[in-house]
Amino acid sequence: MITEIKTINERSIAEAVKILRSGGVIGMPTETVYGLAAIGTDSRAVEKIYEVKGRPSDNPLIAHVHRDYDIEKLVFVEQDYIPRLMNEYMPGPLTLVMRSRGIICKEAVCGGDTLALRIPSHEGCQALLRAADAPIVAPSANISKHTSPVTARHVYDDLNGKIPLILDGGKCSGGIESTVLDVTEKVPRILRAGLITREMIEKVAGGCEIAEHKDGDKVKSPGVKYRHYRPRCRTALFKEDEIEEAKLLYDKETASGNRAYIMCRTPLANYFEGKNLLLLGTGGEEIASNLYERLLQGEKEADIIIAIDMPREDGVYLGITNRLRKSCG
Ligand code: TXA
Ligand code: MG
């Protein structure tokens, strides 16, 4: 199969809709990461997503709808804080897990009774969702466990030959996947941290918990139990107070002829003068938007990425450290 990359516009969207309606799977942009899309009511098409990604069949998918879609067609909106959250943060990088009405096929929810629902803010994606006139399920458009793609080219690098079309909507502005929030109970609970932070949710919903994932727990969001986001090169992770150790490893690797890169936030650059660097930027949003791109650049150029962890875990940093530790730890 030949994989084409086409700029997202009216014509390419019409072509995408044709493929989707005939049971195909395509790459689509969102504001977080690129998705691997199929019509959510088409069991055969959804099975293709799992095949193409090599995704474990116990890890459910997110359903994406446009901003005017009546979500009560798909889920039961049971908590009074849900409309407030939607008002404030949707469209945007927030996914709500609610009780499903069973319209989305069972393959997409792995037989479960809940559905994860998201309204992407990416304008091209909105146009696609409107044109398709159906909910589209999509995981990140990478081979399972690999780093998530934030450009059409990244999708191509992973899925070339496996899908017919990738809609190119530019580099994703968000850079890490949406916050997944369980809203089936009185207090919402973050299953996967992201750009919509605990603090932002608390402000609107009055409270917010963070799910803890310990070994042996019954897993509520199956995706979080897997090692994830891994670049295809060796990695190491150091804390910010272990800069000397990171330098020692860099020098040792370089001395044995390996290409080593330090990945860190930009303010630390001066500690690593003369070394190969993958700089992440300064503020939380900037670091999130650059993280996967630097990992994917790093795996092409480096034998080992030596990453320096973030000094904090509040706000957006919770999502960043979660990805950084799973990708490099
Ligand atoms: O930003 C995003 O969310 C991107 C873009 C493409 O929308 N999508 C994405 O999908 O990251 P994926 O499949 O890579 O991650 C979905 C996460 C997984 O951790 C999965 O376990 C969780 O959402 N999830 C999906 N349905 C769920 C459900 N019914 N209950 C609990 N967790 C669910
Ligand atoms: Mg993913």
Side-chain angles (χ1 to χ4, degrees):
M1 185 185 292
I2 291 179
T3 301
E4 290 190 287
I5 300 181
K6 292 190 175 171
T7 303
I8 192 161
N9 56 34
E10 231 172 281
R11 263 178 65 184
S12 61
I13 285 176
E15 195 182 322
V17 169
K18 221 166 133 187
I19 296 170
L20 290 168
R21 290 205 179 131
S22 63
V25 169
I26 62 149
M28 72 168 186
T30 84
E31 75 280 17
T32 56
V33 302
Y34 274 71
L36 184 59
I39 302 283
T41 48
D42 182 341
S43 300
R44 296 269 303 276
V46 171
E47 276 171 355
K48 260 187 223 165
I49 289 181
Y50 285 86
E51 259 169 56
V52 165
K53 273 191 68 112
R55 182 180 178 102
S57 58
D58 66 347
N59 193 8
L61 306 179
I62 296 172
H64 301 70
V65 296
H66 64 73
R67 56 161 64 81
D68 299 317
Y69 190 90
D70 176 11
I71 67 160
E72 300 207 53
K73 286 202 246 175
L74 302 181
V75 291
F76 297 95
V77 178
E78 294 173 319
Q79 306 300 337
D80 55 7
Y81 59 79
I82 293 175
R84 298 203 298 275
L85 279 176
M86 293 189 62
N87 239 340
E88 202 70 33
Y89 303 124
M90 293 164 86
L94 177 64
T95 295
L96 301 180
V97 174
M98 291 171 275
R99 205 149 59 77
S100 175
R101 287 187 192 268
I103 306 293
I104 296 296
C105 68
K106 64 177 192 317
E107 288 76 10
V109 296
C110 305
D113 56 5
T114 56
L115 175 68
L117 197 82
R118 164 159 139 70
I119 307 175
S121 63
H122 188 287
E123 282 310 323
C125 186
Q126 279 281 325
L128 171 69
L129 290 164
R130 261 177 219 286
D133 196 25
I136 287 181
V137 294
S140 50
N142 50 280
I143 297 289
S144 191
K145 321 262 188 303
H146 190 217
T147 313
S148 302
V150 294
T151 66
R153 184 71 211 188
H154 294 155
V155 180
Y156 185 88
D157 288 344
D158 258 23
L159 303 180
N160 177 24
K162 296 185 167 181
I163 55 175
L165 177 64
I166 301 164
L167 294 176
D168 187 346
K171 185 188 162 182
C172 303
S173 55
I176 59 175
E177 298 84 350
S178 62
T179 303
V180 178
L181 189 69
D182 179 355
V183 294
T184 58
E185 288 172 49
K186 281 276 163 270
V187 181
R189 217 154 59 96
I190 293 178
L191 303 178
R192 179 179 71 184
L195 291 172
I196 304 297
T197 63
R198 172 190 209 159
E199 294 81 353
M200 291 163 77
I201 294 163
E202 261 172 358
K203 207 176 73 189
V204 175
C208 179
E209 292 169 357
I210 294 179
E212 283 198 41
H213 304 282
K214 288 178 244 116
D215 288 346
D217 272 5
K218 182 172 173 294
V219 192
K220 186 102 196 225
S221 191
V224 299
K225 79 181 173 194
Y226 298 106
R227 284 189 92 180
H228 249 315
Y229 319 117
R230 310 287 303 177
R232 297 195 175 101
C233 63
R234 287 186 291 123
T235 58
L237 183 65
F238 290 93
K239 299 203 182 80
E240 275 205 14
D241 61 7
E242 297 171 333
I243 282 179
E244 287 313 312
E245 287 90 329
K247 279 178 164 169
L248 274 177
L249 178 61
Y250 183 97
D251 292 340
K252 193 176 137 219
E253 290 284 345
T254 310
S256 28
N258 292 324
R259 289 163 308 172
Y261 275 74
I262 302 278
M263 189 175 79
C264 64
R265 59 194 185 93
T266 304
L268 299 185
N270 54 330
Y271 291 110
F272 300 107
E273 241 177 64
K275 298 189 171 8
N276 297 323
L277 293 177
L278 297 162
L279 293 179
L280 292 170
T282 304
E285 265 88 24
E286 192 191 356
I287 292 169
S289 82
N290 288 326
L291 180 61
Y292 291 156
E293 195 174 42
R294 294 294 176 273
L295 286 168
L296 290 165
Q297 178 194 345
E299 74 174 13
K300 288 197 167 151
E301 295 169 15
D303 296 303
I304 182 166
I305 296 173
I306 300 168
I308 312 297
D309 206 353
M310 296 297 139
R312 43 194 280 208
E313 290 186 17
D314 60 321
V316 181
Y317 287 94
L318 185 63
I320 295 169
T321 52
N322 167 276
R323 276 30 170 228
L324 192 55
R325 289 165 196 175
K326 282 190 181 167
S327 61
C328 297

